[in-house]
Amino acid sequence: MSDFSAIPLEDEFGDVFRKAKRGTGVDDATISAKTGLNVKELAAWTSGESTPSEDAARAIAPLLGLDS
């Protein structure tokens, strides 16, 4: 029997953010230009190093076709 306890089944914010950017073709430069958010922050969110505030997440959601 396999041990599935080591397999993460839930997507973290960075996973969802990365997939949404890839799926929509929207890059960090575009998100930054349309929202005023810092490109370095966006990169940190993509890599999972940090997560956005609720306001920032709501600002990027429509650009990526996500329901905030």
Side-chain angles (χ1 to χ4, degrees):
M1 182 178 250
S2 298
D3 179 15
F4 291 105
S5 63
I7 300 172
L9 300 177
E10 298 287 330
D11 280 339
E12 299 291 327
F13 178 83
D15 300 322
V16 174
F17 190 43
R18 187 173 43 259
K19 290 174 187 176
K21 288 193 305 181
R22 184 176 50 229
T24 59
V26 177
D27 62 10
D28 287 346
T30 301
I31 295 169
S32 178
K34 292 187 177 199
T35 64
L37 296 168
N38 182 296
V39 173
K40 288 183 182 182
E41 285 181 303
L42 298 171
W45 301 341
T46 302
S47 69
E49 293 176 28
S50 66
T51 57
S53 67
E54 184 175 341
D55 288 341
R58 289 184 183 281
I60 62 174
L63 297 173
L64 300 173
L66 298 173
D67 182 8
S68 58

